[in-house]
Amino acid sequence: MDVIRLLPDSVANQIAAGEVIQRPASCLKELVENSLDAGATHIRVLVRDAGRTLLQVVDNGTGMSETDARMAFERHATSKIREANDLFALRTMGFRGEALPSISAVAHVEVQTRTKDNEVGTLLEIAGGEVLNQSICQCPVGTNIKVKDLFYNVPVRRKFLKTDQTELRNLLNAFYHIVLVYPKVQFTFVSDDEVLMDLSASTEKQRIENIFGKGTGRPYTSQLVEVATDTELVSIRGFVGKPESAGKSSQQFFFVNGRFMRHPYFHKAVMTAYSGMLPGDYSPSYFIYFDISPELIDVNIHPTKTEIKFQDEQAVFQILMAAVRESLGKFNVAPSLDFNRSGEIEMPVPASGQVAAPKVTFDPTYNPFKTRQTTQPSVPSSWQNLYTNRSPLSSGIPEERDVEPIIPQLLDTEVSDLRLFQYDDRYIIFPAEGGLMFVNQHRAHTCVLYYRLKRQMENKHGICQQLLFQEEITLTPDEMVLMASLEGELQNIGFDVVQFSKQSYAIVGVPAALNGTGGVEVLREILAEVGVKQTRVEDEWRDKIALVVARDAAIPNGRHLTDEQMRELLRELWQLPIYRRTPDGKVVMSALTDGEIRKRF
Ligand code: ADP
Ligand code: MG
């Protein structure tokens, strides 16, 4: 008996949709790319409920004839290539003819479209791949497509979507990827009747300013220098951030032949060009546009794939690195930064900062959260316990690579009997059996505060200190969305923030641990930490927020501590579930073993 059957188109399209249309953001990408391919000079995007209920794209492009409008929704129907060879000379964004049939397989789609040669336009309604209605209509030249109730017939997909705020950020990111390549095209983005972005036709630089400039203080683009190089293999243009403008959050974009791409290897090239100019966890912004013959890259790009394979990656790496280096040199932005002993850089106050970097004073008696214990816990009797009985805090922690071969035994004494001293105003040192222990005071205190803050967040008991003068923090559209989704957790840790304007929040209160300082700075760090493009896991937000606040509130290195302050810190440290490393994996304590000491003599 024959068993093979051809799938009905409706089923095949749903399967294809699973690949091409994963979330509202991929739908937006496909629709806007179609508008660009149709030569539109003005494109409006309107979304409702982060694209769940409505995603609409209105363009003034060529429009479609009645027959083409109908054809557009057939599988593999495209006006953009006719034969396989055309693939190698692609100048359009789309070419597979998959997007529209995929979208219409999983949503209610309504299109109005008219070409300039026609007096009247076509109205087409399709749902679940079935044409419901086709008629003539009055409409301007161009295409107006509404995608309603995305995934209404695919509950699994619907379930996979994140909160509205996360999906809205995804939409904005997808939008950035396109509008940064087409500065000559006018774009508008409206979410729930609110205009989030209105970008007039401009130059690339002005477009960057319009998106990421915050309209206050120094222009964003004054922090960028131009990159330009032309070789036989590739031409590279764009902008990179001056080293002093680098931060923990930065805008980083690569484009190749007009498409956004991710490229970790080329990212490394840029970072290498900056080597020695930035402290460890800072990174520069960059907007880099590659132009390369389509034959030298993998052209059969999957619509959702943003990694692109270059034939000669090493050569491009070298060219890119040299180009960025040259720009940094030419614009005389050689490092003029102040390295302190550990190689960390004291960063200047950012342009927008009306607020000085957080300054925290450590008061060992101030401890509103602690339930005083009558008997002080003793030091774990064996140093090995510190290494063995502890499970790693989270999967994000690096492997323990630097465990000393011989582990000194902690002397079997109470913390109160330990002979302690502080070295270099940053290490607490005391003798242990088999060696000398070093504890970094800043990291130790970070651990202590981290667990305390997390407990408060879990109990929704963050202690807030109201500010005498509220501070304002200005944000980009996607940061505004992120901020809205973080409000709850921020409140849990003791922040009191309210939306102030379309692009700013007012900080009314900060977690008490911060002693009333650094609200803007700490919030920026939090946004950077949770906003990293790949980490959209909302469950990790709490940990990250707690860590940022802990880090900022912890005793800094370079602060002199009294004997009692050191003891108190060690006592609190010993009580933690994990204290050998900070939650982000940095070493808190380390030992100089007897063997190592003897070798010196
Ligand atoms: P592809 O873009 O890969 O060709 P799509 O399914 O996205 O496939 O679109 C199918 C066809 O519909 C396109 O080739 C184009 O001819 C037409 N089309 C889609 N959107 C528009 C638009 N906004 N304006 C004009 N034509 C369009
Ligand atoms: Mg397309």
Side-chain angles (χ1 to χ4, degrees), residues 34 38 59 63-64 72 77-80 94-101 143:
N34 279 348
D59 72 46
M64 288 177 270
T78 178
S79 55
K80 299 170 195 175
F95 58 86
R96 299 164 145 253
E98 270 183 347
L100 292 185
T143 302

Side-chain angles (χ1 to χ4, degrees), residues 30-40 57 59 61-64 68-69 71-74 76-81 92-103 111 113 142-145:
E30 293 296 335
L31 295 180
V32 176
E33 286 184 353
N34 279 348
S35 298
L36 289 166
D37 285 345
V57 176
D59 72 46
T62 56
M64 288 177 270
D68 280 354
M71 271 294 278
F73 288 88
E74 296 292 331
H76 303 309
T78 178
S79 55
K80 299 170 195 175
I81 55 171
T92 53
M93 309 282 279
F95 58 86
R96 299 164 145 253
E98 270 183 347
L100 292 185
S102 299
I103 294 169
V111 195
T113 184
T143 302
N144 178 346
I145 179 162

Side-chain angles (χ1 to χ4, degrees), residues 145-162:
I145 179 162
K146 289 184 198 163
V147 176
K148 298 184 203 161
D149 305 322
L150 188 62
F151 303 134
Y152 77 99
N153 53 353
V154 200
V156 204
R157 284 255 154 228
R158 224 171 37 225
K159 260 216 311 266
F160 267 118
L161 295 182
K162 305 273 180 175

Side-chain angles (χ1 to χ4, degrees), residues 353-371:
Q354 306 89 337
V355 168
K359 239 186 27 234
V360 183
T361 43
F362 172 61
D363 173 5
T365 54
Y366 172 69
N367 195 345
F369 328 99
K370 185 166 167 182
T371 44

Side-chain angles (χ1 to χ4, degrees), residues 260-277:
F260 170 76
M261 70 164 175
R262 284 181 218 286
H263 210 295
Y265 184 59
F266 293 166
H267 171 76
K268 212 182 252 163
V270 176
M271 295 308 285
T272 313
Y274 279 87
S275 61
M277 298 187 201

Side-chain angles (χ1 to χ4, degrees), residues 431-499:
E433 240 173 74
L436 259 187
M437 285 307 305
F438 288 68
V439 174
N440 178 279
Q441 63 192 46
H442 171 70
R443 291 180 183 172
H445 198 214
T446 300
C447 292
V448 170
L449 292 179
Y450 172 80
Y451 287 104
R452 188 185 292 164
L453 290 166
K454 255 193 66 166
R455 215 168 334 120
Q456 286 174 29
M457 291 176 90
E458 274 147 24
N459 303 329
K460 303 198 189 316
H461 263 145
I463 298 171
C464 175
Q465 179 179 348
Q466 297 294 317
L467 295 178
L468 216 48
F469 303 103
Q470 69 177 41
E471 294 170 5
E472 193 182 342
I473 177 168
T474 39
L475 303 169
T476 59
D478 66 312
E479 286 171 337
M480 282 301 285
V481 175
L482 181 56
M483 190 71 173
S485 47
L486 287 178
E487 269 178 33
E489 286 292 14
L490 288 174
Q491 197 178 345
N492 289 342
I493 203 171
F495 272 106
D496 188 353
V497 292
V498 280
Q499 186 168 350

Side-chain angles (χ1 to χ4, degrees), residues 205-366:
K205 196 165 181 180
Q206 192 55 43
R207 172 72 34 111
I208 293 172
E209 184 66 47
N210 289 343
I211 301 173
F212 300 109
K214 290 175 182 154
T216 52
R218 218 151 46 111
Y220 177 79
T221 43
S222 70
Q223 303 168 21
L224 302 176
V225 295
E226 218 170 314
V227 175
T229 193
D230 238 321
T231 66
E232 271 184 18
L233 176 62
V234 63
S235 122
I236 298 173
R237 321 163 285 109
F239 305 92
V240 297
K242 297 177 184 170
E244 66 265 28
S245 72
K248 290 185 176 166
S249 81
S250 42
Q251 305 296 341
Q252 301 181 331
F253 298 94
F254 283 134
F255 302 95
V256 58
N257 296 352
R259 279 169 208 275
F260 170 76
M261 70 164 175
R262 284 181 218 286
H263 210 295
Y265 184 59
F266 293 166
H267 171 76
K268 212 182 252 163
V270 176
M271 295 308 285
T272 313
Y274 279 87
S275 61
M277 298 187 201
L278 304 174
D281 49 352
Y282 279 55
S283 61
S285 290
Y286 56 76
F287 303 83
I288 292 177
Y289 302 80
F290 296 85
D291 234 308
I292 189 163
S293 160
E295 292 144 54
L296 300 177
I297 54 174
D298 177 6
V299 284
N300 194 12
I301 314 148
H302 190 272
T304 59
K305 217 165 91 182
T306 47
E307 280 84 17
I308 289 179
K309 187 91 194 93
F310 281 57
Q311 257 178 38
D312 198 347
E313 302 213 316
Q314 270 152 4
V316 178
F317 181 103
Q318 294 299 335
I319 295 167
L320 174 60
M321 189 181 74
V324 174
R325 269 234 173 104
E326 194 193 321
S327 298
L328 293 176
K330 192 156 58 191
F331 291 87
N332 205 8
V333 286
S336 59
L337 295 163
D338 198 13
F339 282 84
N340 67 17
R341 277 195 233 184
S342 66
E344 290 157 7
I345 293 181
E346 314 283 9
M347 293 306 288
V349 181
S352 63
Q354 306 89 337
V355 168
K359 239 186 27 234
V360 183
T361 43
F362 172 61
D363 173 5
T365 54
Y366 172 69

